[in-house]
Amino acid sequence: EDQVTQSPEALRLQEGESSSLNCSYTVSGLRGLFWYRQDPGKGPEFLFTLYSAGEEKEKERLKATLTKKESFLHITAPKPEDSATYLCAVQAGVRDKIIFGKGTRLHILP
Amino acid sequence: ETGVTQTPRHLVMGMTNKKSLKCEQHLGHNAMYWYKQSAKKPLELMFVYSLEERVENNSVPSRFSPECPNSSHLFLHLHTLQPEDSALYLCASSPDRARYEQYFGPGTRLTVT
């Protein structure tokens, strides 16, 4: 069964304390992996798309990487404004099925 | 208006009511989506439209009825809902259906009483 699992479920960090969020997937025929950020009461906001193992993308304090089984979202020296829920999604198979993970709630303490 | 807009932002309806959710995208995209977001659950894809044709319907109860009159507008017609249908309903669009990121609206918070 196609599945996307994100860990940890929640993460509290001090401002400046770097860490990584994990998204592991078991799907047939990965077409793309997407990272989104969601603030409370808002829709998800697109961050990155990764298409093949070894690919990396960066934006400000965030860096996303992809292997054949998982993706990491690395957060370097986070600030309180990075607090949000981070969602991972994959698109896979001949029917371009879209599957989201449950997300990681990130809280950065000042 | 820019991006993806949704109206209303909040809706409270009884189980016997009929209401509609509206979504409009100003991005020139060809694909539009309806999602349901409930607490502690991943985003659930409900419907996908590509070039105004419904291409995916993920076993959604018939009390939810989508409509896509053109590539910029998407509706979700609701009737005879159940309390467990209370959730955040999100609309999204993407340039095409495959291999593209999605742009989401702010959602409609639906409460069924």
Side-chain angles (χ1 to χ4, degrees):
Chain A
E1 183 188 343
D2 295 334
Q3 203 165 10
V4 175
T5 304
Q6 290 189 246
S7 62
E9 189 175 316
L11 182 62
R12 291 167 69 92
L13 300 171
Q14 289 294 137
E15 183 173 0
E17 181 184 0
S18 302
S19 188
S20 296
L21 313 183
N22 178 264
C23 171
S24 63
Y25 59 92
T26 51
V27 298
S28 299
L30 180 72
R31 303 267 278 164
L33 184 141
F34 308 89
W35 281 99
Y36 294 88
R37 168 195 171 127
Q38 186 173 24
D39 293 299
K42 295 188 176 182
E45 175 189 345
F46 168 71
L47 293 173
F48 302 108
T49 307
L50 301 165
Y51 292 114
S52 56
E55 193 174 355
E56 299 183 352
K57 294 271 180 77
E58 275 189 80
K59 179 181 178 180
E60 296 180 354
R61 295 178 292 280
L62 300 176
K63 179 180 176 180
T65 62
L66 180 65
T67 72
K68 289 186 178 179
K69 294 189 297 185
E70 60 192 347
S71 176
F72 290 94
L73 184 66
H74 307 279
I75 302 177
T76 302
K79 298 181 178 181
E81 54 261 41
D82 294 321
S83 298
T85 296
Y86 290 84
L87 302 173
C88 170
V90 300
Q91 191 167 35
V94 295
R95 298 189 63 194
D96 292 315
K97 185 177 179 182
I98 298 170
I99 309 166
F100 273 81
K102 289 185 179 181
T104 293
R105 293 190 316 277
L106 177 65
H107 186 53
I108 308 299
L109 302 165
Chain B
E1 292 277 14
T2 59
V4 180
T5 58
Q6 290 186 244
T7 55
R9 294 294 311 278
H10 301 271
L11 178 63
V12 179
M13 59 186 288
M15 290 192 287
T16 58
N17 291 159
K18 288 184 181 182
K19 296 285 185 183
S20 295
L21 309 184
K22 179 184 175 183
C23 174
E24 185 173 359
Q25 59 98 356
H26 310 267
L27 300 168
H29 290 167
N30 290 323
M32 296 188 76
Y33 311 77
W34 278 118
Y35 285 89
K36 176 183 179 182
Q37 188 172 37
S38 306
K40 306 288 185 184
K41 288 186 175 182
L43 274 169
E44 300 172 53
L45 181 61
M46 301 173 73
F47 302 103
V48 181
Y49 276 83
S50 178
L51 295 170
E52 301 155 39
E53 272 193 55
R54 190 190 312 179
V55 295
E56 194 164 335
N57 176 347
N58 287 325
S59 303
V60 178
S62 59
R63 56 186 184 268
F64 294 92
S65 174
E67 179 189 1
C68 187
N70 55 61
S71 60
S72 298
H73 294 86
L74 186 64
F75 294 89
L76 188 63
H77 303 299
L78 316 171
H79 65 95
T80 335
L81 294 191
Q82 305 297 310
E84 60 264 29
D85 297 321
S86 298
L88 182 68
Y89 288 85
L90 291 160
C91 172
S93 71
S94 63
D96 204 338
R97 186 169 163 239
R99 290 167 57 88
Y100 281 97
E101 66 277 8
Q102 295 177 29
Y103 294 85
F104 286 82
T108 294
R109 172 66 63 186
L110 173 67
T111 303
V112 181
T113 60

